[in-house]
Amino acid sequence: MTSQSRRSPLHDRHVAAGAKFAEFGGWDMPLEYAGGGVIAEHTAVREAAGLFDVSHLGKVEVRGPGAAEFVNRCLTNDLGRIEPGKAQYTLCCDESGGVVDDLIAYLYGDERVFLIPNAANTAEVARRLSAAAPEGVTIEDEHENYAVLAVQGPNSTEVLTALGLPTDHEYMSFAEAKLGDATLIVCRTGYTGEHGYELVVPSADAVAVWDALVAAGEPFGLRPAGLGARDTLRTEMGYPLHGHELSLDITPNEARTGWAVGWKKPEFWGRAALVAEKEAGPGRRLWGLEATGRGIPRADQVVMSGDDAVGIVTSGTFSPTRKVGIALALLDTSTGLDEGAEVEVDVRGRRVAMTVVKPPFVRPSVK
Amino acid sequence: MIPAELRYTAEHEWVGDTDTASVRVGITHFAQNQLGDIVYVQLPEVGAAITAGDAIGEVESTKSVSDIFAPLAGTVTAVNTALVDAPETINESPYGDGWLFEIEPADVADVAALLDAAGYEKLTGE
């Protein structure tokens, strides 16, 4: 970690909990906690509940007359598909169709959209929106003004209910709530594949909300979970992580995130390139790989079919749920490789046998 | 946390006596704690002739992989095959059931030349 790394308002709580830290997008964040570890924390989220600090995620306010219409002309997904009070997964592309970032857009109304980009890309997303914004629409980077806490797992509803927080709103919708003196947003979102909530909390209230969740969660098996477990959980779901499955060099067509593109919209950044690529068919496509042999694939390793290099691993890890090595990989479409195909990954000079599968590796239960 | 009767390397491995002519090798408590949950181990072959400093295996956690280095020159005389199905034993018992392999040293004097517990403690700052 460097001296420039930014810290969450919950940093002291993580230190007290014996966390190991790692740098995520310029932020010094907890990787795992003492007495836990990636596997115990991962399992808690699948079977009980986990509490994540994801305050490194960006927060960008877009406000003013026509704010929602403006965002809809820039980002890929169609805000017209959702009502105010709902959130949507969307992409910020460049004109070549590459992905600047993937983000969540909270639609408040015609004049307000709240965006949650990735930590490392927040400034760039805000910059691109600011450069394009019409008169009267303001873009504010509020990165350090809010903490984001995620409560994820089958017991997450019980934990929030114990604190009197709202839980019965639909998947991908949000509600404002009070906890003590804090006003927070409770959103039915997450990135683990489990039923869960993400709370957007003013930074000054973060410690009080964290402490309340830890105390209320104790009878329900809630434990703090680090970003190590968040990565194994999202990889089991096949969810993309920017910088791995999505990047300026990887398009939504390749990454199978075309469902987050409003193809019928007349305008969004990258539209012409993406429509052309969709019609021609992308040169490579994202697949899951599940090890049949022993070994753990890792990002940037080469996927082999016989003597031919047929793709590249974008993320790889050990699946704590399946107890095998799993990977997400971009495979060249010209090879015709499909579900069930047998391939190998070159793991530091050793070939590990893998089967091509369609993610998720573990059944999601987000609703 | 650093057993006094063992010898150590700068690569966070320990070397201990056995009842035979071989010495037993594992990774330290410090090393397993740094790695986190260990989920995969690649061990050398019994009978392999090894040179000090060679990468002869791997220990892999959910988040990273580390080479296992030969602490001494010699011949591999045993490997802990129980780790193949239960690599987490290294986390649970790094100095006991989580041992990795045994080597018959080419020169027994090499063992005494390794770090003692005080030297290793200084290295890790524990």
Side-chain angles (χ1 to χ4, degrees):
Chain A
M1 72 195 79
T2 66
S3 56
Q4 289 106 21
S5 287
R6 298 205 257 182
R7 286 180 170 181
S8 154
L10 295 162
H11 190 85
D12 291 350
R13 284 291 182 272
H14 306 319
V15 172
K20 283 183 206 162
F21 290 87
E23 210 238 62
F24 288 83
W27 288 65
D28 192 21
M29 297 299 290
L31 189 62
E32 62 177 40
Y33 294 88
V38 173
I39 293 178
E41 292 163 19
H42 177 111
T43 305
V45 173
R46 289 272 180 260
E47 296 177 359
L51 174 59
F52 298 85
D53 177 10
V54 286
S55 298
H56 61 308
L57 294 176
K59 305 97 194 171
V60 176
E61 280 279 13
V62 184
R63 286 182 194 260
E69 199 191 315
F70 164 64
V71 169
N72 210 30
R73 287 201 305 271
C74 303
L75 307 184
T76 60
N77 212 337
D78 188 354
L79 279 173
R81 287 179 190 167
I82 62 168
E83 301 286 316
K86 286 266 197 177
Q88 183 181 65
Y89 179 79
T90 187
L91 304 162
C92 175
C93 287
D94 68 5
E95 285 309 327
S96 73
V99 181
V100 176
D101 200 17
D102 61 332
L103 54 172
I104 301 285
Y106 289 59
L107 181 63
Y108 279 82
D110 293 345
E111 302 198 357
R112 186 181 175 198
V113 182
F114 186 69
L115 303 173
I116 307 265
N118 283 291
N121 302 326
T122 300
E124 179 61 14
V125 169
R127 190 193 66 76
R128 285 176 186 249
L129 288 170
S130 297
E135 178 116 14
V137 173
T138 59
I139 316 297
E140 274 177 78
D141 183 345
E142 304 219 29
H143 211 146
E144 299 196 16
N145 297 350
Y146 297 96
V148 183
L149 309 187
V151 183
Q152 302 279 305
N155 294 351
S156 55
T157 300
E158 282 84 347
V159 177
L160 266 68
T161 302
L163 292 172
L165 293 171
T167 57
D168 58 359
H169 42 313
E170 275 176 57
Y171 183 55
M172 295 300 287
S173 65
F174 61 92
E176 200 174 275
K178 293 282 277 184
L179 184 63
D181 295 331
T183 301
L184 43 98
I185 305 299
V186 179
C187 198
R188 278 273 292 106
T189 49
Y191 224 54
T192 62
E194 297 300 325
H195 187 98
Y197 305 85
E198 288 176 306
L199 314 182
V200 182
V201 183
S203 291
D205 300 314
V207 168
V209 173
W210 175 272
D211 289 348
L213 288 166
V214 168
E218 218 234 310
F220 303 106
L222 174 113
R223 70 186 304 159
L227 297 184
R230 192 165 189 262
D231 193 55
T232 52
L233 288 157
R234 73 94 195 165
T235 306
E236 285 186 344
M237 286 302 125
Y239 294 161
L241 177 63
H242 194 271
H244 291 259
E245 286 71 37
L246 295 169
S247 76
L248 285 172
D249 299 318
I250 306 171
T251 69
N253 292 317
E254 294 174 321
R256 295 182 196 269
T257 51
W259 63 270
V261 177
W263 295 106
K264 291 179 184 156
K265 292 200 299 181
E267 190 184 353
F268 58 85
W269 292 338
R271 186 179 190 281
L274 288 171
V275 167
E277 185 194 46
K278 190 179 182 230
E279 281 167 7
R284 49 191 190 163
R285 216 172 241 135
L286 194 70
W287 286 94
L289 304 177
E290 183 166 316
T292 52
R294 293 180 61 241
I296 301 165
R298 298 288 181 181
D300 301 325
Q301 291 172 350
V302 176
V303 184
M304 304 291 295
S305 177
D307 292 333
D308 300 326
V310 294
I312 191 98
V313 173
T314 52
S315 292
T317 190
F318 174 79
S319 163
T321 307
R322 304 291 301 271
K323 313 235 180 281
V324 292
I326 58 170
L328 299 171
L330 285 167
L331 302 183
D332 299 338
T333 46
S334 62
T335 61
L337 289 167
D338 206 341
E339 212 170 347
E342 301 294 329
V343 294
E344 290 176 315
V345 172
D346 184 338
V347 179
R348 294 178 298 281
R350 197 175 63 245
R351 295 281 191 99
V352 174
M354 319 241 354
T355 305
V356 176
V357 299
K358 248 201 175 121
F361 297 93
V362 174
R363 221 182 137 81
S365 38
V366 291
K367 305 263 165 99
Chain B
M1 278 315 221
I2 300 178
E5 69 278 16
L6 302 176
R7 294 279 166 169
Y8 299 89
T9 72
E11 280 81 30
H12 306 286
E13 290 166 20
W14 57 263
V15 176
D17 288 333
T18 66
D19 296 337
T20 68
S22 295
V23 291
R24 187 166 271 196
V25 179
I27 66 168
T28 65
H29 172 78
F30 178 87
Q32 68 78 25
N33 187 50
Q34 288 289 308
L35 275 165
D37 291 332
I38 293 168
V39 293
Y40 179 76
V41 187
Q42 174 86 1
L43 296 168
E45 302 271 327
V46 171
I50 56 175
T51 305
D54 280 357
I56 56 169
E58 292 174 352
V59 184
E60 193 158 2
S61 70
T62 48
K63 48 185 195 274
S64 64
V65 58
S66 288
D67 283 323
I68 302 169
F69 296 99
L72 305 161
T75 305
V76 177
T77 54
V79 298
N80 187 0
T81 51
L83 297 178
V84 172
D85 291 324
E88 66 275 12
T89 311
I90 300 171
N91 293 119
E92 290 156 4
S93 178
Y95 299 114
D97 292 343
W99 64 279
L100 299 176
F101 52 88
E102 293 179 354
I103 307 173
E104 189 168 334
D107 183 350
V108 186
D110 290 345
V111 179
L114 297 172
L115 294 168
D116 61 11
Y120 182 64
E121 188 170 5
K122 207 173 286 174
L123 188 83
T124 59
E126 276 200 340

